[in-house]
Amino acid sequence: MIPKSHPRYESLVLRDKIVKAQKEGYLAESAMIAHGRGEAFDYLLGEKTTFPAKRAMYAAVATILLSENPVISVNGNTTALAIDEVIQFAKTVNAKIEINLFYRTDERVEKITELYKKHGYSQILGTKDDDIKYLKSIKNERASASKTGIYSADTVLVPLEDGDRAEILSKTGKKTITIDLNPLSRTSQTSDISIVDNVVRAFPFMTEIAKDLKTQDKQLLINMINDFDNRKNLKEALKLFKNK
Amino acid sequence: MIPKSHPRYESLVLRDKIVKAQKEGYLAESAMIAHGRGEAFDYLLGEKTTFPAKRAMYAAVATILLSENPVISVNGNTTALAIDEVIQFAKTVNAKIEINLFYRTDERVEKITELYKKHGYSQILGTKDDDIKYLKSIKNERASASKTGIYSADTVLVPLEDGDRAEILSKTGKKTITIDLNPLSRTSQTSDISIVDNVVRAFPFMTEIAKDLKTQDKQLLINMINDFDNRKNLKEALKLFKNK
């Protein structure tokens, strides 16, 4: 148990979740390194949700609410850190959830599927190999997608995605939304809407935004999306690292 | 094999070393997370050795050369990333090497000891439990030290050290030198000389500095140490993150 008085308490609780997930065997071998990078960026951000992150979240939620078939892509790290928060958000915005792993193995897919079931969500996509199609006909693990999920989605939310995959997705014409603490990463740079925040804070915040925006006029949502400039917003996000 | 053309080649080679070390069983369970944090900070530094890092290295090498009993503390990550570079530096400045692990287990100590032997260094300290004494009489794993090594050292070089341990060391009156990519960490903030750089670049650079300083007049080394202001230097290091 980490004492609540420890100067790095919140961060250590998340670190423990990742270490636990590693032991349970559903993380890729370099997943902990990715988490460490996230820790460092969050640290430099002050571990707070910034204004540019909030603005991106409003545009993201509006986009998802106006989509026909929005899909949230989850991997081991997102699951370890925020499984309940992801399910809650998916239910609120009526989005599907699809497993997409950087190093896909049947064992890891099964373990993650079981976890979602245990947490009350049993419709997860991307679990069966015969359901897999390839985006842009690229026969590459990084281009795989579930037929009724990401393959046919108009909007995909891909938290904690790697750069290769994000680049492929950005070329499909789908609206891509990411949550990534590094504003300079290829994932942030190639997405349509890049939320520079910790998934643990972002999902609950987006759920609250969704509850609000669902009661608003559709035109307000459209304006929100049109007014959003991802490049400009990323620059603002980056400045917050600089001014620490 | 990572293709040399990959935009993140150098960084991925180091990441592979850490993943390999994890599989070989001599890293602590959250060591990969620590590496990821290092990756992120190095990324924001531009993965280059900065001027403040070089200045700190000159002061560090001068201090070590003027010490009676300088000791380099190594853990799993330092070993995985830079074992040959550490041995080379230790030999050049005539310093001892001591194993100090955050989560000490006999198995990990043995594996690391074997590695140093394989790489041509068999005098490593801190391997036997009966050789362990406690700094400042703190009966805590984080305060343990080898009797002839860190316990009686006048100067300790502790690359990649955790904050709790660094704080204990800083209270012993020994000169403490650290290599840490985060200028804001407790380790950087509590050390006498903080080198904000990647250990992989810092050790070979310090070896070159040592070869030079060994031929210089002792007074020059003393002046170098007296002119060095760690607090000011850390501020300069931090600015280089800001200006990226």
Side-chain angles (χ1 to χ4, degrees), chain A residues 141-230:
Chain A
E141 274 303 306
R142 306 308 303 134
S144 71
S146 156
K147 218 178 328 186
T148 54
I150 291 175
Y151 188 80
S152 51
D154 48 354
T155 299
V156 284
L157 169 59
V158 284
L160 310 180
E161 191 51 85
D162 89 288
D164 292 342
R165 169 83 171 173
E167 278 198 304
I168 291 170
L169 281 171
S170 74
K171 286 171 187 160
T172 58
K174 301 176 194 301
K175 279 268 179 195
T176 59
I177 302 165
T178 191
I179 307 172
D180 186 326
L181 279 157
N182 178 1
L184 297 165
S185 74
R186 280 187 298 153
T187 301
S188 290
Q189 294 289 325
T190 58
S191 293
D192 294 306
I193 300 173
S194 311
I195 299 161
V196 180
D197 200 11
N198 190 322
V199 291
V200 169
R201 295 189 300 268
F203 276 105
F205 200 91
M206 288 198 294
T207 298
E208 291 312 305
I209 293 173
K211 284 179 191 164
D212 172 24
L213 292 190
K214 277 163 86 173
T215 68
Q216 306 280 350
D217 191 75
K218 194 180 156 180
Q219 191 55 48
L220 184 107
L221 274 60
I222 294 172
N223 293 346
M224 214 167 246
I225 296 165
N226 290 339
D227 290 347
F228 181 74
D229 181 336
N230 201 46

Side-chain angles (χ1 to χ4, degrees), chain B:
Chain B
M1 280 292 287
I2 303 149
K4 279 215 170 186
S5 58
H6 195 286
R8 308 283 313 129
Y9 176 75
E10 299 286 350
S11 178
L12 291 176
V13 167
L14 297 185
R15 193 182 299 174
D16 260 19
K17 287 187 178 181
I18 290 288
V19 170
K20 190 165 159 266
Q22 182 78 44
K23 285 184 186 161
E24 287 173 10
Y26 66 86
L27 295 190
E29 59 182 23
S30 62
M32 293 175 82
I33 296 180
H35 181 72
R37 287 197 301 280
E39 269 190 10
F41 282 107
D42 204 12
Y43 177 92
L44 290 171
L45 255 192
E47 287 155 345
K48 285 198 179 71
T49 298
T50 65
F51 184 71
K54 288 177 187 173
R55 187 159 48 195
M57 284 193 257
Y58 273 94
V61 173
T63 302
I64 291 168
L65 289 174
L66 296 180
S67 299
E68 293 288 329
N69 186 16
V71 179
I72 303 168
S73 174
V74 295
N75 57 18
N77 285 38
T78 304
T79 302
L81 293 170
I83 183 167
D84 290 323
E85 292 83 350
V86 168
I87 294 171
Q88 176 80 44
F89 179 66
K91 286 180 177 170
T92 308
V93 296
N94 204 17
K96 293 171 185 166
I97 303 178
E98 173 168 336
I99 300 183
N100 195 281
L101 306 182
F102 192 92
Y103 297 105
R104 189 184 176 89
T105 69
D106 289 346
E107 195 201 348
R108 292 177 54 226
V109 169
E110 265 167 47
K111 282 184 177 170
I112 292 173
T113 305
E114 270 312 303
L115 268 176
Y116 277 87
K117 271 188 200 157
K118 259 194 210 162
H119 286 252
Y121 188 89
S122 51
Q123 313 101 288
I124 201 155
L125 297 170
T127 58
K128 289 188 216 79
D129 285 346
D130 60 1
D131 180 42
I132 300 298
K133 289 193 69 133
Y134 291 89
L135 299 164
K136 307 272 292 173
S137 307
I138 304 171
K139 261 260 172 193
N140 169 324
E141 274 304 304
R142 305 310 301 135
S144 71
S146 156
K147 219 179 325 187
T148 55
I150 291 175
Y151 187 79
S152 51
D154 49 354
T155 298
V156 285
L157 169 59
V158 285
L160 309 180
E161 192 52 83
D162 88 290
D164 291 342
R165 170 83 172 171
E167 279 198 303
I168 291 169
L169 281 170
S170 73
K171 287 171 187 160
T172 59
K174 300 175 195 302
K175 279 268 179 195
T176 60
I177 302 166
T178 191
I179 308 172
D180 186 327
L181 279 157
N182 178 1
L184 298 165
S185 73
R186 279 186 299 151
T187 300
S188 290
Q189 294 290 324
T190 57
S191 293
D192 294 306
I193 300 174
S194 312
I195 299 161
V196 179
D197 201 10
N198 190 323
V199 291
V200 169
R201 295 190 300 268
F203 276 105
F205 200 91
M206 287 197 293
T207 298
E208 290 313 306
I209 292 172
K211 285 180 191 164
D212 173 24
L213 292 190
K214 278 162 85 172
T215 69
Q216 306 280 350
D217 191 74
K218 194 180 156 181
Q219 191 57 48
L220 183 107
L221 276 59
I222 295 172
N223 293 346
M224 214 168 247
I225 296 166
N226 289 340
D227 290 348
F228 181 74
D229 181 336
N230 200 45
R231 209 128 291 277
K232 209 175 129 197
N233 200 55
L234 272 173
K235 272 189 194 148
E236 272 189 49
L238 185 61
K239 265 189 209 150
L240 297 173
F241 284 94
K242 291 182 189 166
N243 293 334
K244 200 188 184 300

